[in-house]
Amino acid sequence: MKPDLTPITVQTIAYDDQEPGTSGLRKKTKVFIEKPHYLENFIQSTFDMLTQNLFEGNADAFKDKTLVVGGDGRFHNAVAIQTIIKMAFANGFGKIMVAKNGHLSTPAASAVIRKNKALGGFILSASHNPGGIDGDFGIKFNPAAGGPAPQSMTSKIYELTKSITTYLTMDFPDVDLSELGTFTVNGQSVEVFDPLTDYTELMQKIFDFDAIRTLFSGVFDFRYDALNAVTGPYAKHIFCDLLGAPETSILHGTPLEDFGGKHPDPNLIYAKELVDLMYGKDAPDFGAASDGDGDRNMILGRGIFVSPGDSLAILVNNAANYIPSYRRGISGVARSMPTSAAVDLVAKAHGISCYETPTGWKFFVNLMDAGKCQICGEESFGTGSDHVREKDGIWAVLAWLNIIAKSGKSVETLVTEHWNRFGRNYYQRHDFEGLDTAKAKKMLDDARKGLSQLRGQIFAGSKVVMADDFSYKDPTNGEVANNQGLRIKLEDGSRVICRLSGTGTGGATLRVYHDVYRKDWREDPYKVLVPLNQTILSYLNIATYCGVDKPTVIT
Ligand code: VG1
Ligand code: CO
């Protein structure tokens, strides 16, 4: 039977809760499944935003445009991808590129969008949040530059979702995503592409694969934990097929719809199996892990964890010496405001600019497009460079491997040499999850009011030199983002920051970031951080406002 390719207009009812957060629209999976047309409303609103923002309402605008679609393989991805293909067809896209099996990591999506000059792409992922019917689902839209949609787009999408009445779709059989190939009807095509190709090519251009291959051919013992998420196939292809690591070096390398019940978040708590291995007897030389959609990374050496802020600083300090594509030097760096200030010291030593942005990768994109920043990172295990416009887990692992291979130094040596030269930023993030949203907001509102009186006072043994609610003015376009987190800076170089998460799906999560600077790196991290922690918790009065005094997760 010939498929019917007439666009169908479907009536729908708008929702008022489709505001994208730090990284796309994230909800419980059941919300996407049980609320009628929930996904469709968001997709159509994104298409309408594009026609309105970029094409002055011209409905034919998508005729010669490409849309990329893929996701992290979590439960409901397969259904959502078919929905998007049909809607993109009905909305007139000339070409829809869908990753084989629907598996496309976030950094690879960025690479594919850029290489194929697509108008943009949808990434179906709730990133590091657990998956499955009782877990989370999410969707992110990345426009042509390949990075997360800027505020100007996400707020327009949100506005449109609140008044949407109809969407367009078509009625044709599901596309087989298990085989590569293209089918074309009436000048419109769907291409099922290999998600590894463009990304691998890019990695080969950046890094010294020969040096890493030589490293792997020796006694160097390497482990990579994909946490049953999207990076498994990328890791097997790059680390094993191309670089020669044994297959046993990849842990949890098959993407599973529920991540095998794991929380695909590469940190000391959720990647415990790898952490235990790296701190155990006969530990490997190097261990790394990534998250659900492949944009985060955790780096470990034998018996040593590299905190994300240190990792960023060490990569920036060593990139030009060892990594081929950065040999001319790094043009500039950026970090999110709560990220440790370790990289600032490196930037100063190298005489390059260092930008401080709000949390969320979208704020780095403009700086990269303007050539102001080349490597950037977040404390939440995100590191990346301007090779794409997303943070990139496998890129960070390859960067470390490349530096180790060319310098001949272990992770521990690289880290301690760094601390010897620059001093150490003792760092910890405490998350208080599942708080009552109204109470958590009231607590921060009241804490904000007291900030102006803090200046000049003694806080955790040092004088407060600055206390405010962070505002950011984008140096490339002047856009301002207010209320990005309370920050208190002390005379001894330490900082403490408090903000609410924008990626959670249940209640509120308070994040408290501690960044204590010391010239001596041999101090006991626990002792160093405790005074700041105790002082900020009593300043917030968290026990009275929220009824808790212990974090649920420490990273
Ligand atoms: C968190 C992190 C932030 C990161 C974001 C998306 O946001 O703190 O640094 O960019 O997740 O990461 P929030 O608002 O919950 O603190 V991912 O790997 O979900 O794309
Ligand atoms: Co992620």
Side-chain angles (χ1 to χ4, degrees), residues 216 235-250:
F216 281 175
K236 285 180 188 165
H237 182 55
I238 293 174
F239 300 128
C240 303
D241 302 348
L242 299 176
L243 292 169
E247 279 192 10
T248 47
S249 54
I250 310 298

Side-chain angles (χ1 to χ4, degrees), residues 21-24 26 106 125-129 140 148 264-266 291-297 336 338-339 358-362 364 377-382 390-391 429 431 499-504 509 511 513:
T22 313
S23 179
R26 242 172 249 192
T106 288
S125 169
S127 189
H128 54 284
N129 299 21
K140 313 188 260 191
D265 198 353
D291 71 332
D293 61 332
D295 55 2
R296 296 186 176 205
N297 73 90
S336 67
T339 301
T359 295
W361 208 260
K362 57 177 174 260
F364 295 135
E378 295 191 281
E379 54 64 44
S380 53
F381 297 81
E390 285 280 4
K391 52 190 187 268
R429 182 177 103 184
D431 292 340
R499 60 178 283 279
L500 293 181
S501 155
T503 57
T509 295
R511 304 202 196 283
Y513 310 80

Side-chain angles (χ1 to χ4, degrees), residues 199 203 224 231 234-235 238-239 290 294 392-399:
Y199 182 77
M203 293 302 112
Y224 178 87
T231 56
Y234 293 87
I238 293 174
F239 300 128
S290 193
D392 187 343
I394 287 188
W395 172 90
V397 177
L398 286 168

